[in-house]
Amino acid sequence: MSRTALRICPICEATCGLVLTIDDAGRVDSARGDRDDVFSHGFICPKGASFPELDNDPDRLDGPLIRRDGELVEVGWDEAFAAAAEGLQRVIGAAGGSSVAVYLGNPNAHNIAGALYGPAVIKSLGTRQVYSASTLDQMPKHVACGYLYGNPVAFTIPDLDRTDYLVIIGGNPLVSNGSLATAADFGGKLKALRKRGGRLVVIDPSRTRTAELADRHIAPRPGTDAALLFAIVHVLFDEDLVDLGPLADHVTGVERVRAAAADFPPDAVAEHVGVAADEIRTLAREIAGAPSAAVYGRIGTSTVEFGTLTSWLVDVVNILTGNLDRPGGVMFASPPIGSAPRPARPGRGFATGRWRSRVSGHPEALSELPAVALAEEIETPGDGQVRAVVTIAGNPVLSAPDGPRLADALDRVEFMLSVDPYLNETTRHADVILPPPPPSRAAHFDVALSGAVVRNNARYSPPALPLAEGRPDECEILARLALIVLGMGPDADPKLVDDQVIATTLGKEVSDPDSPVAGRDVAELTAMLPDGPGYERRLDMMLRLGPFGDGFGADPDGLTLQRLKNTPHGVDLGALQPRIPEVLRTPSGTVELAPDVILDDVGRLHASLGAESGFLLIGRRHLRSNNSWMHNLEALSGGTNRCTLQIHPDDAARLGVEDVALVTGPGGKLEVPVEITEAIRPGVVSLPHGWGHTESGTRMRVAAQHPGVNVNSLNDGTLLDPLSGTAVLNAVPVQVAPVG
């Protein structure tokens, strides 16, 4: 007899609640939205509805693979872990853990394993060769928040349910479901905004689905968002519209920003940006004059040459108009697994460039190096050369620029290990692949994304189905890898990792006079944690120590993991609340509006004004896929989920482009099917990210039937945002010509 099980969707940042139907054979048969979920209230998108197909995908790896005589073959788990231990220890023994690079893909932010155990692997290695998808999407926001607030994960979240005026720049949440603003049914919230009399403005070179919903769509030239925002800041000062409100005593550096903005009057940037000066002035006045307003910038503002400047300016506009840390503006979430509130005090602040990459001298950001640097760190001999690579839920051959170069480099390493459910364009180069189980057989708690929610909440999903006999979950896989790296062998007990983390965390907490467990006994607190998997013990500890926690019994009504298990639809923790100055960790204890490292980059932006080029290439998202994966599901392969070159009719007619175009970029050439549409600004073309499933040696049959082209092969990876190391993926200059 079939049954149902609740599950938080792990596919994108919306974190919707699902109701899964489990058939008699113990397989997920269907998925629908959970109407009782405290956060999503029954909303579901095509990706969530495809959960059963994702869970049952026959191309998912059932067991580990190791390379023998040049071929990947299936083996048992004991043999696979032994091969992992032999390969990693061989490289570490010869060149040290610093010779091992780790690449973390986007899904690590969507599961417990990546958040809690990925760092353990890196720490055990002691390597600075760390790379992730963050330098392909959101790192500029981390850097901007780090310098502004002293905390790179103190994200400013648009208060969607209460704002009167919302500006979305470089984002298309009706398709992407949002990013660094975790909001189930983003489209419904935008419609509710307009229904209550609010206004929506979308700034994007393409008339996206979100732009179609807007009261006003502004279509600037790609890559000019920083200049546009600086012009808005100029107007705010020039017309005496700056009003910090209650935060006036908590913000420093205002006059330095005024001075920096003096060189960006609307009339001076209008032609470069492609937006009339009067329209810029109107936008500035409306943001300043609205009862409440929120400017929200996303991937389109990050993956450009001035990504960090743009991300910083988004917050500068919010701050100068008095819309930071207030209802209806932009606010800080209170993650239930974050630290309990402490007294406001100065912190150590934030800095990048604490070390640099060996070959090109790229500065680190958040202990990471730019993803585009991985290939050269493998290729270039000498001290510190990368000799082994570990990838965890990542496919950089498709998702990073100059993928063919990286693919060749991966073939040169002495050992490569991947933790991934697919044999894909990256993992096909591995010597060992350790696949995690399907998502229905894993627990779920949004460790990372709880810091970006538009409404505070806590939800936990235990596994809907049991693990197959002898199969480890992803938490165990990563814990065992951490112990292997430490030389403890493939059979070491993975609970050792959890025990160490728990002991260290509680030891620090009891020594902190501001902790809810100050002065208590570590052994007593440890004994209060539940029996069960190590990740549950750690989650329980984090919840109890968090801002809504029970403080290990101090607050009987506070959160524990057991309480979440008893409330399977989640616990609503209320609307976002003001958190300044408590959230600030800058050296001054204020919002440091004018960091030197950011202002030093303003001259480079000013020098770019007037720079012209031919066609500029931008990316786009699809509702039916997520970056480089989910193309292997038949249910999601139709509709608008197509890899086409969007081009304006006037440009197509002028060039004589009809069905297929030849696109030439700094990194190569592609022949691409053409989609002629008035939705795209003239002079701009668009290709989606994450396609190009044409490599041999993969095991993704549906994706191979609809391969598309890899847009990143047009990009040689040489152009970066220098403050964050993020690859420029938007506003890439290209040439377009007809084929034949």
Side-chain angles (χ1 to χ4, degrees):
M1 186 173 180
S2 65
R3 62 180 180 86
T4 59
L6 301 179
R7 181 64 161 79
I8 304 164
C9 185
I11 296 172
C12 77
E13 293 193 32
T15 71
C16 300
L18 305 178
V19 180
L20 308 179
T21 301
I22 313 295
D23 66 18
D24 294 342
R27 289 163 50 97
V28 179
D29 182 66
S30 65
R32 66 177 190 274
D34 177 11
R35 290 178 293 182
D36 296 316
D37 185 272
V38 298
F39 188 64
S40 60
H41 306 290
F43 178 77
I44 191 172
C45 79
K47 290 192 286 286
S50 73
F51 186 100
E53 190 171 354
L54 177 70
D55 205 64
N56 298 316
D57 186 353
D59 286 338
R60 292 183 69 98
L61 300 176
D62 283 333
L65 305 179
I66 67 171
R67 191 171 299 277
R68 286 179 180 162
D69 301 321
E71 301 291 328
L72 287 167
V73 298
E74 296 184 14
V75 297
W77 283 98
D78 289 343
E79 186 173 356
F81 279 115
E86 189 280 327
L88 288 171
Q89 282 300 320
R90 173 166 36 86
V91 174
I92 293 170
S98 60
S99 68
V100 183
V102 180
Y103 182 89
L104 305 169
N106 179 271
N108 284 283
H110 299 257
N111 63 37
I112 296 171
L116 297 189
Y117 296 89
V121 176
I122 296 168
K123 185 177 180 179
S124 296
L125 284 166
T127 184
R128 290 181 171 179
Q129 294 283 354
V130 180
Y131 306 82
S132 87
S134 293
T135 53
L136 304 173
D137 50 36
Q138 68 190 43
M139 186 62 81
K141 191 65 178 178
H142 286 285
V143 174
C145 290
Y147 281 113
L148 282 164
Y149 313 117
N151 183 349
V153 294
F155 302 123
T156 44
I157 312 300
D159 189 9
L160 298 179
D161 295 327
R162 294 181 287 188
T163 193
D164 298 289
Y165 192 99
L166 178 65
V167 179
I168 298 176
I169 178 168
N172 185 14
L174 260 70
V175 169
S176 69
N177 289 335
S179 167
L180 294 185
T182 295
D185 193 12
F186 212 119
K189 293 182 180 299
L190 297 184
K191 293 173 183 175
L193 161 68
R194 298 192 66 201
K195 187 175 181 179
R196 64 177 181 263
R199 301 195 68 195
L200 172 65
V201 177
V202 172
I203 302 173
D204 198 294
S206 178
R207 190 166 180 82
T208 63
R209 286 182 57 187
T210 307
E212 291 176 352
L213 184 65
D215 297 280
R216 186 188 308 158
H217 172 218
I218 299 172
R221 288 180 66 245
T224 63
D225 300 326
L228 172 62
L229 289 165
F230 242 139
I232 291 172
V233 173
H234 179 99
V235 174
L236 294 176
F237 283 114
D238 190 57
E239 299 187 5
D240 199 25
L241 299 174
V242 173
D243 183 1
L244 302 183
L247 294 185
D249 293 336
H250 299 287
V251 179
T252 55
V254 173
E255 291 306 311
R256 296 186 72 197
V257 173
R258 180 197 297 270
D263 292 332
F264 295 89
D267 291 316
V269 307
E271 183 177 356
H272 175 71
V273 173
V275 178
D278 285 344
E279 191 164 16
I280 297 173
R281 293 188 185 95
T282 297
L283 181 58
R285 293 163 185 161
E286 289 182 351
I287 295 171
S292 65
V295 181
Y296 165 62
R298 274 322 308 125
I299 297 299
T301 62
S302 293
T303 55
V304 290
E305 186 177 359
F306 301 100
T308 300
L309 274 178
T310 308
S311 297
W312 168 71
L313 283 161
V314 166
D315 276 23
V316 167
V317 172
N318 286 318
I319 293 165
L320 294 179
T321 55
N323 284 300
L324 174 67
D325 203 44
R326 59 169 293 204
V330 295
M331 308 189 76
F332 302 96
S334 295
I337 44 78
S339 296
R342 271 41 173 195
R345 59 178 180 267
R348 293 182 296 177
F350 172 82
T352 62
R354 294 170 297 168
W355 59 84
R356 292 181 174 269
S357 67
R358 180 179 63 98
V359 179
S360 293
H362 298 298
E364 66 75 37
L366 268 72
S367 301
E368 294 184 18
L369 297 172
V372 297
L374 177 56
E376 66 182 19
E377 292 290 329
I378 297 171
E379 297 165 344
T380 308
D383 291 343
Q385 181 181 9
V386 169
R387 300 177 181 273
V389 172
V390 176
T391 69
I392 304 174
N395 191 3
V397 169
L398 276 193
S399 59
D402 205 2
R405 179 185 180 185
L406 178 58
D408 289 343
L410 292 175
D411 279 335
R412 302 183 190 184
V413 296
E414 297 174 23
F415 183 74
M416 179 175 169
L417 182 146
S418 293
V419 180
D420 202 287
Y422 284 104
L423 183 57
N424 60 31
E425 292 79 8
T426 296
T427 63
R428 72 187 184 97
H429 299 276
D431 298 289
V432 177
I433 304 177
L434 305 174
S440 65
R441 300 175 192 270
H444 189 90
F445 184 95
D446 283 300
V447 177
L449 299 181
S450 63
V453 292
V454 299
R455 185 176 178 88
N456 294 317
N457 69 92
R459 296 169 296 158
Y460 175 72
S461 300
L465 291 168
L467 287 168
E469 184 68 27
R471 180 162 191 174
D473 62 17
E474 191 169 5
C475 296
E476 180 179 342
I477 291 171
L478 295 180
R480 291 179 69 173
L481 286 180
L483 297 173
I484 283 171
V485 167
L486 290 172
M488 300 180 68
D491 300 319
D493 187 350
K495 292 182 180 179
L496 292 172
V497 173
D498 302 299
D499 291 343
Q500 179 62 43
V501 171
I502 291 169
T504 301
T505 302
L506 291 179
K508 291 179 179 178
E509 288 287 331
V510 300
S511 301
D512 182 349
D514 298 316
S515 169
V517 294
R520 295 177 64 179
D521 181 68
V522 170
E524 172 207 355
L525 301 178
T526 304
M528 296 176 67
L529 298 174
D531 293 329
Y535 62 81
E536 287 200 342
R537 291 169 56 79
R538 288 172 64 180
L539 283 175
D540 187 59
M541 174 186 67
M542 296 163 75
L543 288 166
R544 288 174 173 239
L545 295 171
F548 307 98
D550 80 332
F552 281 81
D555 179 4
D557 296 323
L559 285 182
T560 65
L561 184 62
Q562 188 58 52
R563 181 180 173 190
L564 295 189
K565 289 183 174 183
N566 294 340
T567 51
H569 303 287
V571 177
D572 178 38
L573 299 171
L576 306 186
Q577 298 295 320
R579 294 190 62 201
I580 287 178
E582 173 255 326
V583 73
L584 302 178
R585 291 294 180 265
T586 56
S588 67
T590 68
V591 176
E592 296 185 354
L593 199 62
D596 289 341
V597 69
I598 289 181
L599 291 186
D600 288 345
D601 200 40
V602 174
R604 188 174 65 92
L605 174 66
H606 191 265
S608 74
L609 297 183
E612 298 293 336
S613 60
F615 281 101
L616 294 174
L617 174 70
I618 63 173
R620 70 178 185 270
R621 302 296 295 271
H622 284 144
L623 181 61
R624 292 174 170 263
S625 62
N626 192 1
N627 299 323
S628 64
W629 69 301
M630 302 196 75
H631 292 152
N632 205 53
L633 306 183
E634 193 66 51
L636 300 180
S637 63
T640 59
N641 196 29
R642 296 184 298 145
C643 185
T644 59
L645 182 78
Q646 292 185 342
I647 186 170
H648 191 274
D650 293 349
D651 291 329
R654 176 171 55 83
L655 295 171
V657 169
E658 296 181 350
D659 298 323
V660 182
L662 177 67
V663 184
T664 304
K669 301 179 178 180
L670 289 174
E671 291 188 7
V672 193
V674 167
E675 180 183 348
I676 299 173
T677 173
E678 293 185 349
I680 197 93
R681 176 190 167 103
V684 179
V685 290
S686 173
L687 271 173
H689 170 83
W691 295 78
H693 306 286
T694 57
E695 299 291 337
S696 61
T698 65
R699 192 181 302 177
M700 296 186 295
R701 286 165 286 185
V702 174
Q705 293 170 10
H706 313 278
V709 298
N710 183 0
V711 63
N712 287 317
S713 64
L714 297 173
N715 195 331
D716 63 5
T718 57
L719 191 57
L720 305 178
D721 167 34
L723 299 184
S724 68
T726 300
V728 175
L729 304 178
N730 279 301
V732 177
V734 295
Q735 297 174 334
V736 181
V739 173

